Amino acid sequence: MTRLHRRFLASLAVGLIALTGSVQAQAPEGGRGYPARDWPLVGGNWSGSRYSTLSEITTDTVDRLAGAWVTQLDGGAASRASPVVKDGVLYLTGGANVYAIDARTGDGVWRWQTPAANEQRVPSWQGVGLSDDLVFIGLRTSEVAALRQDTGELVWAQPVGSVPQQFGETVTTAPIYAQGQVFVGVSNGDSGGQGRIVALDAATGELQWTFFVVPRPGEFGHETWPQDSDHWQLGGGGVWLVGTVDPDLGLVYFSTGNPVPMFGGELRAGDNLFTASVLALDMETGERRWHYQVVRHDVWDADIATPVLLYETQVNGQTRKALAAIRADGYLFLFDRETGEPLGPVEQRPVPQDANQLTASTQPFPVAAESILPDCSFWRDKVPPPFQLNCSGFTPPTVDQHTIVAPGVPIPRVRVTPMSHSPQTGYIYAQGIAMVGLARRPADPWLSNAGGFQLTLPDSVGIIAAFDPRTGQVVWKHEVPSSLLGTSGPLTTAGGLMFRSAPDGVVEAYDARTGVRRWTFQTVAAGPAGETRPLTRPGPAVSYALDGEQFIAVPMGRELWAFTLDGPVPARGMPVDDPWADLPPSGPAPRETQVIETATLIENPSWSIGGRRYAMREHAFSPVRAQVSVGVPVRIINNGEMTHTIAARDASWATQMLEPAAWEFVTLDQPGTFLYHCTDHPWAIGEITVVP
């Protein structure tokens, strides 16, 4: 037992001794149906569909929407949690705090914060769960705790991971409460170990069952891991995101993360169940009832990185209970949530192979379905030479490939933010980032730093989209700068609207059926003239009602905003007309230097499995963006293992061929920003800004 763990248990015991009486945890009203007056779970209800039946704020009245109140979160913490609302109180997490806030005024009711003696006991950024009288939180110490709803006093805390805690283990999911149980996932920080799903007794915190994502010897699925090693013990499969429940079926559903090492497929032969999967578990026993793996033998970090949602649909004239899960490349998978049977045809398509990484020969794709992300034609004219666009999906990031660019490699980017389903339109709403990247990885399989920033490739693009699961097609979508996509995610309402927020402080509403933007509100004031607004990480919006009045609440960094019709709090300026204008360049800022090296050292952080590890990226200048002064000699040194000849793209200067460890001075006499490259390896590109 670690000193930190002993200290935590000791402080916990003191808190528990002070409590008297029994604690009864009961289901909050509204967990089964769509929320209206309250918003009792982070996803709205047990389905996680993020839909409110409130309809006072509509496409006709939304232009009257303004701030009802705004409050600073105590302690200077920032929040991107989805609040929950019950009986006129909002509950959310932020930094090392759990907040209870008056939903009418924004005044604080109580605040629970991490004791100074245990700075690691930080709540999940995704938010909290509620019963009738308890608030449940996941902790960075891989524990779940319960607080009294009325006072914030600690009632119980229970370890749900390894004891002692492994590096990377934490509870990032917001707990789900249903029928006397609390369900959470345990993530692994991509540092090895095994993700798991855990059920606890809500009243006492007693551990009821644990489901390990990577099967043990003798369990179903263990044969999908190497049989001649114990690598399965490091297999990964972290459970990062909040789940959903269907108490009528007795099932709880979670999505699972990637295997470990992330890009080192050569160490883990097989499909690697149950990573990159949807899991349906029996609520009472934790037994697997069904699963579906959306990425076999993942070497792309292309798992399901968005919470699943439950909804009802018509199939051949019959109502079916459905589950929607979106893969990181933007393809939506739809299942019968009782049986796990896909609701539409799914085919196994051949994909590019890397024999060294033992890649799977095929990957599943919904037939005739459309990704919310743009296809390869979107990038065809945007990728400049010497790069060549490879449109083969699931191209493995290989050790020796430097010129191939593949959509979404190495990391497809429909990630983290929740989806929403509107029964009014039948659409599912989601967001993600479209990008291209280098299909490249270090030779060391334990190094997860693949690709890296590459000059001259097109910037990524943020996508906000509505998808019709009945047709498999995208109904409408918008492109925004990826830096302004944010961590919010959609909220839909019976008023026909879809709400979301952005990192530049904009809260906006779209017509849920047509995608027309109907309302914007600026919560962050502009800086001095010529400066862009500071960026924050907003949380998902929620809706609730007090005395028949509808509110929309949104965490915006260190502030929490609530909106209502004809609210008294004005906007802080106007949203930027063109969000693409005046954005800073993507990638690192120029670094003032007089030395440029031809290769870059990369490393994994010390908490990664295998310890701190290093490699040289031979074709990445260090720094990739340099700032030098006019007339000051700059030394270009070959710190790699190959010969390199460095030259300006405009042919204004060039070095001799540099052997390893050799260098040459270059003096630039004209101010400006210039690209240069290695003439032998033209995909090695750098940038120099020359200042007077």
Side-chain angles (χ1 to χ4, degrees):
M1 181 178 294
T2 65
R3 181 180 305 173
L4 177 64
H5 195 75
R6 287 195 300 268
R7 190 164 60 231
F8 167 69
L9 292 180
S11 63
L12 174 61
V14 172
L16 292 177
I17 290 170
L19 297 173
T20 60
S22 62
V23 178
Q24 297 298 318
Q26 301 171 5
E29 184 179 355
R32 188 180 304 278
Y34 290 116
R37 180 177 67 92
D38 290 338
W39 187 270
L41 289 92
V42 294
N45 65 350
W46 285 329
S47 73
S49 55
R50 299 193 47 76
Y51 173 80
S52 170
T53 59
L54 297 175
S55 58
E56 182 187 13
I57 303 168
T58 69
T59 53
D60 293 328
T61 63
V62 70
D63 60 333
R64 294 165 42 203
L65 197 62
W69 49 261
V70 58
T71 187
Q72 288 273 353
L73 296 177
D74 289 344
S79 176
R80 56 182 177 126
S82 183
V84 296
V85 186
K86 180 173 174 286
D87 296 334
V89 179
L90 292 111
Y91 303 88
L92 74 162
T93 57
N97 308 277
V98 180
Y99 299 96
I101 293 173
D102 189 301
R104 182 178 295 282
T105 65
D107 295 334
V109 177
W110 55 257
R111 174 166 66 120
W112 180 90
Q113 58 188 132
T114 299
N118 195 340
E119 296 179 357
Q120 293 301 311
R121 191 164 44 139
V122 175
S124 163
W125 57 266
Q126 291 182 48
V128 307
L130 295 181
S131 67
D132 262 8
D133 50 10
L134 296 179
V135 178
F136 304 104
I137 54 175
L139 299 171
R140 189 180 295 173
T141 46
S142 196
E143 292 162 302
V144 177
L147 311 175
R148 287 195 181 277
Q149 234 172 78
D150 54 352
T151 65
E153 289 181 278
L154 180 67
V155 177
W156 56 255
Q158 172 68 47
V160 293
S162 304
V163 179
Q165 180 188 11
Q166 288 190 13
F167 283 126
E169 267 186 3
T170 183
V171 178
T172 61
T173 67
I176 312 170
Y177 173 80
Q179 297 187 335
Q181 294 176 285
V182 177
F183 304 96
V184 298
V186 178
S187 62
N188 66 327
D190 288 332
S191 61
Q194 295 184 47
R196 61 199 78 179
I197 299 165
V198 174
L200 305 166
D201 181 280
T204 66
E206 181 182 356
L207 193 65
Q208 294 185 325
W209 53 256
T210 298
F211 179 91
F212 289 93
V213 172
V214 178
R216 266 60 177 149
E219 296 178 347
F220 176 86
H222 183 73
E223 71 281 0
T224 65
W225 291 86
Q227 300 298 292
D228 57 352
S229 76
D230 291 333
H231 185 80
W232 60 272
Q233 297 183 30
L234 308 173
V239 180
W240 297 87
L241 301 168
V242 64
T244 55
V245 295
D246 185 336
D248 294 333
L249 296 177
L251 294 177
V252 58
Y253 308 88
F254 280 90
S255 59
T256 65
N258 56 275
V260 173
M262 186 182 298
F263 304 116
E266 60 266 40
L267 299 183
R268 43 180 175 82
D271 285 351
N272 304 149
L273 288 174
F274 296 101
T275 65
S277 298
V278 177
L279 279 168
L281 306 181
D282 187 288
M283 291 174 62
E284 293 296 325
T285 66
E287 294 180 357
R288 179 187 60 89
R289 293 268 285 272
W290 63 263
H291 78 277
Y292 193 93
Q293 189 175 42
V294 300
V295 185
R296 302 168 56 208
H297 191 79
D298 183 11
V299 293
W300 304 270
D301 193 18
D303 51 352
I304 302 171
T306 297
V308 301
L309 66 81
L310 311 181
Y311 68 106
E312 291 190 354
T313 189
Q314 295 289 316
V315 179
N316 297 326
Q318 294 185 332
T319 300
R320 300 280 291 273
K321 286 190 165 190
L323 178 148
I326 192 166
R327 195 166 61 189
D329 59 357
Y331 281 96
L332 203 66
F333 287 77
L334 308 174
F335 305 99
D336 181 302
R337 68 175 182 259
E338 181 174 9
T339 66
E341 175 189 358
L343 292 181
V346 177
E347 64 183 10
Q348 292 287 336
R349 296 179 186 171
V351 293
Q353 296 296 292
D354 180 350
N356 177 62
Q357 292 209 71
L358 309 176
T359 45
S361 59
T362 63
Q363 295 292 348
F365 286 85
V367 175
E370 185 180 6
S371 169
I372 70 166
L373 302 183
D375 63 19
C376 206
S377 62
F378 176 85
W379 303 104
R380 199 173 302 279
D381 298 327
K382 298 179 174 65
V383 175
F387 301 109
Q388 300 175 0
L389 187 63
N390 177 354
C391 291
S392 300
F394 285 93
T395 297
T398 59
V399 174
D400 57 356
Q401 187 58 261
H402 301 281
T403 60
I404 301 299
V405 179
V409 170
I411 303 176
R413 294 301 299 273
V414 178
R415 308 187 70 77
V416 178
T417 57
M419 300 183 288
S420 176
H421 174 263
S422 168
Q424 189 179 64
T425 64
Y427 300 160
I428 290 174
Y429 304 82
Q431 64 182 45
I433 295 177
M435 59 184 295
V436 293
L438 297 181
R440 187 176 67 195
R441 51 153 278 196
D444 186 339
W446 295 107
L447 273 166
S448 60
N449 192 333
F453 175 70
Q454 179 63 59
L455 284 165
T456 76
L457 288 183
D459 286 338
S460 54
V461 176
I463 301 294
I464 307 163
F467 183 93
D468 190 336
R470 297 160 296 195
T471 65
Q473 300 300 299
V474 174
V475 181
W476 59 258
K477 67 180 174 181
H478 294 284
E479 298 174 12
V480 299
S482 61
S483 61
L484 300 186
L485 189 68
T487 53
S488 170
L491 158 73
T492 54
T493 71
L497 294 166
M498 188 274 280
F499 291 89
R500 65 174 297 276
S501 53
D504 60 349
V506 170
V507 184
E508 55 190 4
Y510 292 82
D511 186 305
R513 192 170 298 278
T514 66
V516 174
R517 191 163 75 163
R518 305 299 296 267
W519 172 80
T520 59
F521 187 96
Q522 183 66 51
T523 67
V524 177
E531 288 190 12
T532 58
R533 289 187 172 98
L535 297 183
T536 187
R537 303 182 80 178
V542 304
S543 188
Y544 62 94
L546 291 171
D547 300 327
E549 183 179 6
Q550 183 181 1
F551 292 80
I552 305 293
V554 185
M556 295 296 296
R558 290 183 170 86
E559 294 181 329
L560 178 63
W561 282 78
F563 303 90
T564 193
L565 296 181
D566 305 314
V569 182
R572 294 171 175 167
M574 297 294 294
V576 177
D577 289 335
D578 181 6
W580 300 85
D582 301 323
L583 286 176
S586 59
R591 191 175 83 203
E592 187 173 354
T593 184
Q594 293 182 24
V595 177
I596 296 173
E597 298 177 309
T598 64
T600 297
L601 178 71
I602 60 174
E603 63 177 297
N604 266 15
S606 59
W607 50 259
S608 294
I609 190 68
R612 192 176 294 274
R613 306 176 78 88
Y614 302 88
M616 291 294 291
R617 186 175 290 136
E618 181 78 26
H619 306 290
F621 291 103
S622 179
V624 66
R625 281 194 170 114
Q627 178 177 305
V628 303
S629 298
V630 167
V632 175
V634 178
R635 185 171 69 149
I636 299 178
I637 182 171
N638 182 0
N639 67 332
E641 298 177 345
M642 307 171 65
T643 58
H644 296 289
T645 303
I646 313 304
R649 280 284 184 96
D650 62 6
S652 59
W653 59 267
T655 70
Q656 301 295 318
M657 184 180 69
L658 300 176
E659 297 287 344
W663 68 85
E664 188 170 322
F665 284 99
V666 173
T667 301
L668 303 179
D669 297 323
Q670 296 296 322
T673 298
F674 309 96
L675 291 175
Y676 63 93
H677 65 230
C678 174
T679 59
D680 306 302
H681 314 104
W683 53 84
I685 302 169
E687 182 183 271
I688 296 180
T689 297
V690 185
V691 297

